[in-house]
Amino acid sequence: MPKGYWIAQVDVRDPERYKDYVAAAKPAFEKYGANFVARGGAYAQLEGRVRARNVIIEFPSLQAAVDCYNSPEYQIAAAIRQEVADAEMVVVEGL
């Protein structure tokens, strides 16, 4: 079964409160088998708009990735993130 990946590009407006998001998201990530492939770090802009923080999270399947995002646990965290950061997020199926 192909894995699923969250790809997120984020500009954090309030780094201190963003820590609250990270803590709140942890239970959902653990429940749905998330594995962080990239979390911030150096990047090279090649084309288009770029945000300061780029994150790739691997899940056991596309459905697990979608279920994690829609879970009550993650939606608590998402509400915090939406207050303190701007983001684009997509879920893609791996090969």
Side-chain angles (χ1 to χ4, degrees):
M1 173 183 308
K3 295 188 181 216
Y5 295 85
W6 281 19
I7 301 174
Q9 295 180 305
V10 183
D11 283 332
V12 177
R13 295 187 313 272
D14 185 340
E16 285 305 308
R17 290 238 18 247
Y18 193 79
K19 292 175 187 176
D20 296 336
Y21 158 72
V22 171
K26 187 176 179 180
F29 291 149
E30 289 175 350
K31 180 177 179 178
Y32 290 93
N35 177 43
F36 284 80
V37 177
R39 184 188 290 175
Y43 63 89
Q45 180 178 357
L46 301 177
E47 290 186 32
R49 182 176 179 187
V50 174
R51 293 196 179 266
R53 184 173 180 81
N54 299 284
V55 180
I56 301 171
I57 308 171
E58 179 184 77
F59 289 86
S61 66
L62 180 70
Q63 191 61 55
V66 171
D67 290 347
C68 181
Y69 182 85
N70 290 321
S71 71
E73 298 91 346
Y74 184 75
Q75 287 304 302
I76 292 168
I80 297 169
R81 179 183 42 78
Q82 291 162 358
E83 290 179 9
V84 302
D86 300 309
E88 278 83 35
M89 296 176 64
V90 65
V91 175
V92 298
E93 184 176 68
L95 301 175

